[in-house]
Amino acid sequence: MNTKPRLATLLLLAVLTYNVDAQPYSPAGFGTATQLNDSWRFTLADDSAAIAPSFDDSRWQHVSLPHDWSRTLPMSPDAGSCQGYLHGGIGWYRCHFDTPAAERTYIYFEGIYNRATVYVNGHRVGYRPSGYAPQLYDITPYINASGSAAHGNDSGSKGNVVSVRVDHSRENDSRWYTGSGINRPAWLISASQIHLAPWGTSWRIAGLSSKKAVVEVSLELSDEASKYKSAISTKVEILNAEGDIIATKKGGLKHTLEIKNPHLWALSSPYLYRIRASLTLAGRTVDSSEIPLGLRTFEFSPTRGFALNGEWMKVKGVCVHDDAGVLGTAVPPSIWRSRLATLKSLGVNAIRMSHNPHTPVVYALCDSLGLLVMDEASDEWELPKRKWLKGWNQGTPGYEGSYDFFEEWIDRDVADMVRRDRCHPSVFLWSIGNEVDYPNDPYSHPILDGGSEGFTQPMYGGYKPSQPNAERIGMIAHRLAKVVRSLDDSRAVTGALAGVVMSNQTAYPEAVDVVGYNYTEGRYAEDHKRYPARVIYGSENRHDLQAWQAVRDNDFIFGQFLWTGIDYMGESGAWPARGSEAGLVDMAGYVKPLGHYRAALWSDHPVCYIGTYPMVMPGRQGRGRGRRDSYVSAYAPAVWNYEEGQTIRVVCYTNAETARLFLNGKEVGGEPQHDRQTDILYWDIDYSEGTLRCEASNKATAEIRTSGLPAALRIAAGTERLVKPGDVAEFDIEVTDAEGTLVTRSDASITCIAEPPLRLLGLENGDARDTSDKSSFIRHAKSGRLKAYVELGSMPQATAEPATARVYFSSPLLKSTNTTVHIGAE
């Protein structure tokens, strides 16, 4: 007898009591999501008693998510330089919560660093060692719907408690700073018994022209819903950017929809549609989900490179880690938005998620800003890499890492990356790994005895038979590429190779669709000739002009990813230091001279920037300084404060053919010289105080002025309104002289005080060598500037109406300043 119709009827009776009014966004792709970021308690200690619902956590620290405990700790030379001299440890989190009436309740963490075990009401519900993988647990069997569970002293009437043990005691387990704790948002998800599978709505483009787009949408059901598939009907709708429904299909789990006169998702105009998928039972919607849709095509060619929407182009990418200086890895969305927008303004059109999946909001921002994304799974496979502890490439390394759970978890980690991120139109490459082929770190091969030609990373000696054979790399690459393609075959699979010469002796390059070369521009032409079917690009590259020319001047190389887009914590030099200064943008989000130089090479808009530095002329060399007459720098600061008559080199970063230089309104220097090694224009002139101005032939201009003594603080830019708790304001504070000119030589100590309900998250100066207390409300400026991050905390009901609060900035002997932040209504 077929029992399914009867079972479906019984299930229908239950479902009729629960009708989902689905949110437009659910991070897991099903159900109704509610953020669970407030009212958490934390302790940096290991106490297994915290599992118990009755445990008293009233003396623990109040925190909000995302939370990175390492960033709040004192920096110490005893900690690892790979982690920015910050410690990890073991910490516990607890949160008391109520749940709405629902057939199924899930708890979802976007990421916890790392080795996290989750308990609900004393029951162990899951464990995930990766610090970057999402964690989703069905907690329905453990929920106290009556609200009668025992709880800590101040949890009120909330009937449930989640406890999370985070074990980052292997604190030097990464080559860069990772942070520690629940450093991404958390959610409660309420769902029907019948619902979509996690990230179960996906799409691919079956046809695209100026007249019509054909979109295939696939739906996957949860295990429970799959049992009653015959009783479930589905509907898929496509909405345009204005929210109008422009296409609809009903039926099973696969749908083909057409869009007339489609708008393309392009870098200059990233038009976004949305797909709304619904599950219906007896006329009732039991689940729905919305995901972004971007209409675009990708094409890779071994001779022509890469095409977006049929247009062959160069990928101008940067690598980015997921910290933001003083904020650690708990970075608010608004900070990510401003950083990505800054990078795009410099001509960047692609982001490499180095070297792990990032927090989901970053992908959504790339969708909306028009930035391509290279998504990356991991930096380490089955064996550990070197982790530097006393300075980058200095001393004796450590070997902690993620290798110990690789075999058990990597397939699932890669699969979850693809399932989670495949709905983002910005993603154009799936990377299965970064630099897993370092010569002798850990793999080795007889080719290493052939000399060092072609190797641009440390070799650590020749062939070492005692090391694992490099041929294992190809085996693992085939395995992981197969996982990716089983879930999404509409994008290319890649890997970032550090030891291309050695990897060419393995099956690794053939396992992927597109081969990334890290710092190996010298092999582009040779390998293109030797492997004519191979698609090659620079997956990690230096900032020099020659590395870019290797892309620009060769059609068969489609792009590069600079190391890096933004300065980052970890991979530090010897103490005192906290991070790397390899970026176009510093830790405070300010564009560095190197960023302006890159804009001159990459931007489609007119660019003109001038920087200066003193020349060491004959007869005036200082001890050990030598001659610098031919030195043309891409790192020149915009400074005009020197000794009268001193010879100064003025460099101009511009995409114009030529430029003119003026000092106090009078042209100086004559025709600029052109340095072919850097493509930089420059003049050598005698210093005189005043205003230095450059006018490029493309109509772009730049100007710098002599500054006097520091006299006042000025808020150069800032956020005027915060709407809801958790919103973050950024303020750019500048030290100026009496005339209002920025004093770039000032490192004044600045104090920030924020009135409640505002609270200071941190002060960031962009100085990678600043090891001072990151939680302090006092910090020195760098180059006359300081960034303040101010968060809107919880507001009592009595103050829920629109209100104001002030933020004050002061410094000894300088005129202070303050600003008003409006709180509440849009």
Side-chain angles (χ1 to χ4, degrees):
M1 182 178 68
N2 186 358
T3 61
K4 283 191 175 181
R6 182 173 180 272
L7 289 173
T9 301
L10 293 175
L11 185 58
L12 170 61
L13 293 176
V15 171
L16 289 176
T17 66
Y18 179 73
N19 186 21
V20 175
D21 180 15
Q23 298 288 324
Y25 170 73
S26 176
F30 72 95
T32 301
T34 304
Q35 280 197 337
L36 191 66
N37 289 339
D38 298 327
S39 303
W40 285 82
R41 295 301 190 95
F42 169 73
T43 184
L44 185 55
D46 192 11
D47 188 349
S48 60
I51 297 170
S54 58
F55 180 82
D56 185 1
D57 57 22
S58 61
R59 296 187 179 182
W60 287 13
Q61 178 186 356
H62 288 269
V63 299
S64 297
L65 304 184
H67 178 251
D68 170 7
W69 82 64
S70 287
R71 80 171 187 92
T72 67
L73 301 178
M75 298 183 70
S76 167
D78 295 329
S81 59
C82 58
Q83 286 288 308
Y85 298 103
L86 287 166
H87 284 293
I90 298 177
W92 279 85
Y93 293 84
R94 282 169 60 92
C95 180
H96 301 267
F97 64 96
D98 285 328
T99 61
E103 291 174 359
R104 310 302 301 180
T105 302
Y106 297 81
I107 193 166
Y108 178 72
F109 297 94
E110 293 186 8
I112 306 174
Y113 204 92
N114 63 349
R115 303 175 190 265
T117 309
V118 180
Y119 304 85
V120 172
N121 294 329
H123 299 273
R124 186 181 187 272
V125 299
Y127 168 76
R128 194 75 180 259
S130 171
Y132 305 110
Q135 302 187 35
L136 175 71
Y137 304 115
D138 185 351
I139 61 175
T140 308
Y142 316 112
I143 290 297
N144 295 299
S146 64
S148 60
H151 42 68
N153 290 349
D154 65 348
S155 63
S157 60
K158 295 180 178 179
N160 301 281
V161 59
V162 55
S163 307
V164 183
R165 182 181 187 267
V166 185
D167 182 358
H168 194 202
S169 56
R170 299 172 182 83
E171 60 184 35
N172 296 312
D173 59 352
S174 172
R175 297 192 295 156
W176 63 91
Y177 179 77
T178 62
S180 304
I182 310 179
N183 56 359
R184 296 179 182 177
W187 304 77
L188 282 176
I189 298 176
S190 303
S192 168
Q193 191 78 12
I194 296 176
H195 60 77
L196 291 159
W199 313 296
T201 304
S202 61
W203 54 267
R204 61 176 295 137
I205 298 170
L208 182 60
S209 70
S210 60
K211 295 182 179 180
K212 183 176 68 174
V214 180
V215 181
E216 296 176 348
V217 180
S218 297
L219 306 180
E220 301 171 50
L221 303 179
S222 63
D223 291 342
E224 187 65 29
S226 295
K227 299 176 184 178
Y228 310 102
K229 184 166 60 174
S230 61
I232 297 171
S233 61
T234 68
K235 181 171 69 172
V236 171
E237 301 166 305
I238 296 180
L239 292 74
N240 62 18
E242 292 71 40
D244 302 320
I245 299 172
I246 58 172
T248 303
K249 276 290 181 70
K250 296 181 180 180
L253 299 181
K254 292 188 180 297
H255 302 266
T256 300
L257 301 93
E258 295 184 357
I259 301 174
K260 295 180 180 180
N261 302 317
H263 298 278
L264 296 184
W265 185 91
L267 301 181
S268 59
S269 55
Y271 190 93
L272 289 173
Y273 296 89
R274 298 199 67 81
I275 294 174
R276 179 191 297 153
S278 304
L279 300 185
T280 303
L281 194 60
R284 294 267 186 159
T285 299
V286 294
D287 193 20
S288 68
S289 175
E290 285 196 12
I291 59 172
L293 167 65
L295 301 177
R296 78 289 180 271
T297 61
F298 304 140
E299 184 178 355
F300 294 91
S301 164
T303 57
R304 303 188 67 185
F306 169 72
L308 174 64
N309 301 326
E311 180 181 347
W312 299 100
M313 58 172 286
K314 296 298 185 181
V315 169
K316 304 170 182 177
V318 294
C319 304
V320 171
H321 278 313
D322 60 351
D323 72 278
V326 71
L327 299 177
T329 53
V331 185
S334 61
I335 310 305
W336 271 119
R337 177 181 289 277
S338 62
R339 288 179 164 219
L340 292 172
T342 296
L343 289 173
K344 182 153 188 179
S345 73
L346 301 179
V348 172
N349 62 22
I351 304 294
R352 180 186 179 196
M353 304 297 186
S354 307
H355 299 292
N356 49 264
H358 282 33
T359 188
V361 70
V362 181
Y363 301 80
L365 288 168
C366 289
D367 290 342
S368 62
L369 290 171
L371 289 164
L372 294 166
V373 168
M374 174 179 168
D375 214 357
E376 194 151 65
S378 66
D379 184 59
E380 189 168 87
W381 283 359
E382 61 177 353
L383 296 166
K385 292 181 178 179
R386 290 171 169 83
K387 317 294 189 309
W388 299 104
L389 307 179
K390 298 301 179 184
W392 185 61
N393 282 348
Q394 298 183 35
T396 302
Y399 288 92
E400 295 177 336
S402 58
Y403 64 94
D404 59 306
F405 57 80
F406 174 86
E407 188 61 37
E408 180 181 358
W409 287 94
I410 190 59
D411 288 19
R412 182 175 172 183
D413 288 347
V414 170
D416 281 356
M417 175 187 76
V418 176
R419 289 177 59 83
R420 189 197 73 170
D421 298 338
R422 63 187 173 181
C423 67
H424 291 289
S426 56
V427 176
F428 81 124
L429 285 173
W430 300 117
S431 171
I432 56 175
N434 172 65
E435 295 186 342
V436 297
D437 60 337
Y438 254 118
N440 289 317
D441 187 18
Y443 298 98
S444 196
H445 191 277
I447 192 71
L448 299 182
D449 278 340
S452 61
E453 183 179 355
F455 289 97
T456 54
Q457 303 286 22
M459 286 179 59
Y460 307 113
Y463 175 49
K464 298 182 178 181
S466 61
Q467 296 286 104
N469 193 289
E471 291 180 0
R472 290 194 54 79
I473 300 172
M475 298 167 57
I476 296 172
H478 272 288
R479 168 186 166 186
L480 299 184
K482 183 178 180 180
V483 172
V484 173
R485 294 181 183 121
S486 71
L487 295 167
D488 178 38
D489 61 1
S490 68
R491 299 169 173 94
V493 180
T494 190
L497 279 57
V500 176
V501 174
M502 185 174 73
S503 286
N504 280 343
Q505 306 302 310
T506 77
Y508 189 2
E510 286 70 39
V512 297
D513 306 305
V514 173
V515 185
Y517 284 35
N518 283 13
Y519 310 104
T520 321
E521 295 88 355
R523 291 198 65 88
Y524 286 169
E526 178 181 348
D527 280 13
H528 174 60
K529 183 177 180 180
R530 182 177 298 180
Y531 309 104
R534 181 179 295 182
V535 181
I536 302 173
Y537 72 104
S539 42
E540 194 167 310
N541 303 88
R542 304 181 308 273
H543 293 269
D544 58 88
L545 177 63
Q546 289 68 40
W548 171 236
Q549 287 173 329
V551 177
R552 186 194 66 190
D553 300 340
N554 291 294
D555 289 343
F556 59 89
I557 303 297
F558 71 74
Q560 66 172 185
F561 287 86
L562 299 175
W563 191 263
T564 59
I566 308 173
D567 290 355
Y568 59 96
M569 297 277 285
E571 285 197 312
S572 307
W575 176 269
R578 60 176 170 135
S580 167
E581 295 181 282
L584 304 177
V585 177
D586 69 17
M587 292 186 191
Y590 298 130
V591 178
K592 299 159 61 176
L594 188 63
H596 293 289
Y597 174 61
R598 184 55 45 171
L601 297 178
W602 278 2
S603 180
D604 295 328
H605 305 289
V607 173
C608 181
Y609 167 91
I610 49 174
T612 67
Y613 49 92
M615 295 297 297
V616 179
M617 302 302 291
R620 297 182 58 185
Q621 289 100 329
R623 180 180 178 183
R625 295 173 70 184
R627 295 173 62 94
R628 295 177 61 193
D629 301 55
S630 62
Y631 177 62
V632 178
S633 175
Y635 301 85
V639 174
W640 195 238
N641 282 77
Y642 298 100
E643 296 178 7
E644 196 73 22
Q646 186 178 6
T647 302
I648 304 299
R649 174 154 289 177
V650 181
V651 293
C652 176
Y653 311 150
T654 182
N655 48 14
E657 292 185 2
T658 189
R660 301 169 66 191
L661 187 66
F662 299 86
L663 178 58
N664 297 322
K666 181 180 179 181
E667 186 169 1
V668 293
E671 283 292 318
Q673 299 186 65
H674 185 192
D675 180 59
R676 300 296 177 180
Q677 293 297 310
T678 59
D679 205 19
I680 293 173
L681 305 179
Y682 68 96
W683 303 262
D684 295 332
I685 66 172
D686 292 337
Y687 173 77
S688 180
E689 72 172 46
T691 299
L692 190 68
R693 179 179 173 84
C694 182
E695 297 180 356
S697 58
N698 60 7
K699 305 301 183 183
T701 62
E703 189 174 279
I704 50 179
R705 298 178 182 178
T706 305
S707 62
L709 295 174
L713 298 181
R714 173 176 65 200
I715 300 175
T719 307
E720 297 182 351
R721 184 176 299 278
L722 298 176
V723 177
K724 61 183 184 300
D727 284 353
V728 175
E730 294 182 68
F731 297 99
D732 293 329
I733 313 306
E734 295 182 343
V735 180
T736 70
D737 63 12
E739 303 299 321
T741 301
L742 175 69
V743 183
T744 56
R745 299 288 177 89
S746 174
D747 62 354
S749 177
I750 298 175
T751 298
C752 175
I753 301 296
E755 291 181 342
L758 303 177
R759 60 188 178 205
L760 179 66
L761 277 182
L763 298 170
E764 178 57 71
N765 54 19
D767 184 356
R769 296 174 179 82
D770 183 354
T771 59
S772 61
D773 183 0
K774 305 302 179 292
S775 60
S776 175
F777 56 87
I778 303 173
R779 200 173 182 99
H780 75 81
K782 180 188 177 186
S783 301
R785 297 187 297 186
L786 183 71
K787 177 90 70 175
Y789 300 110
V790 177
E791 182 180 45
L792 176 59
S794 299
M795 294 188 298
Q797 289 296 324
T799 61
E801 293 297 320
T804 61
R806 299 193 72 77
V807 184
Y808 299 88
F809 299 96
S810 61
S811 182
L813 304 180
L814 303 183
K815 184 179 179 181
S816 62
T817 188
N818 63 82
T819 188
T820 298
V821 176
H822 297 271
I823 300 168
E826 297 278 2

